[in-house]
Amino acid sequence: MDCIQLKLCDIQGRLFERSLAYASEEFIRDFMNSEVARHLDSPYNKLQWMGEEYLLEELAEEKNLTPAGATYSPEVLYWIGYLHRFWACSRNEESRKIYRIAPAKTMKRNYLNLHTTDPELAIEDLLEIYRQRHQK
């Protein structure tokens, strides 16, 4: 991971943190399956440098964001956004695929155990949780 990719992780973390006006699970689902996320997944796209406020506006135009509902804490939202982008950058995986493996509920449920863990180890743990869940 280079400094540019780490900056993208921070931008996505702050974007998720700013989503408190929306139902968190739906916001995360909508974002991870959006064109905005697809643009962030690409090696270079000007949208990557527009900042979290602009990304939130773009997402609101693309999706019908649910303005009411349960929200996660800002700390949890930041971590989910940061780790999802770290995963996308470090493993060159699409946001949609990452979301299928680690949806919002899984991320929130594992926050306390994983938020202080090295991001690579957290991703490995989330992949193991996914494998175990799908072996049954």
Side-chain angles (χ1 to χ4, degrees):
M1 294 283 292
D2 61 32
C3 63
I4 293 173
Q5 290 171 317
L6 291 173
K7 183 65 176 164
L8 287 174
C9 296
D10 183 56
I11 288 170
Q12 186 166 311
R14 287 183 288 142
L15 168 67
F16 278 37
E17 211 174 31
R18 288 182 171 274
S19 71
L20 287 171
Y22 306 102
S24 293
E25 288 178 17
E26 290 81 3
F27 174 84
I28 295 167
R29 179 201 62 220
D30 288 347
F31 175 81
M32 294 297 287
N33 291 288
S34 71
E35 286 298 308
V36 173
R38 191 177 67 74
H39 290 303
L40 292 179
D41 292 342
S42 67
Y44 176 78
N45 187 292
K46 66 178 181 173
L47 200 61
Q48 295 169 335
W49 305 111
M50 297 299 178
E52 61 274 10
E53 297 91 359
Y54 182 81
L55 294 173
L56 189 57
E57 289 174 16
E58 286 292 307
L59 184 64
E61 283 182 24
E62 179 185 340
K63 302 282 187 176
N64 185 16
L65 298 178
T66 306
T71 58
Y72 298 169
S73 72
E75 295 83 12
V76 171
L77 286 166
Y78 180 87
W79 178 76
I80 293 171
Y82 185 98
L83 191 63
H84 274 161
R85 182 56 36 209
F86 187 96
W87 189 334
C89 291
S90 67
R91 296 178 181 233
N92 199 29
E93 289 193 39
E94 293 181 352
S95 294
R96 290 172 203 257
K97 180 180 178 188
I98 294 166
Y99 184 77
R100 284 193 299 274
I101 295 168
K105 284 183 183 179
T106 299
M107 298 294 284
K108 182 177 187 253
R109 185 172 45 249
N110 290 283
Y111 171 77
L112 287 177
N113 295 332
L114 298 178
H115 80 281
T116 58
T117 305
D118 178 84
E120 281 295 337
L121 294 175
I123 293 166
E124 285 300 322
D125 286 352
L126 289 163
L127 285 166
E128 182 58 30
I129 290 166
Y130 176 80
R131 282 190 285 273
Q132 289 176 6
R133 198 173 59 218
H134 285 85
Q135 283 180 347
K136 297 179 181 182

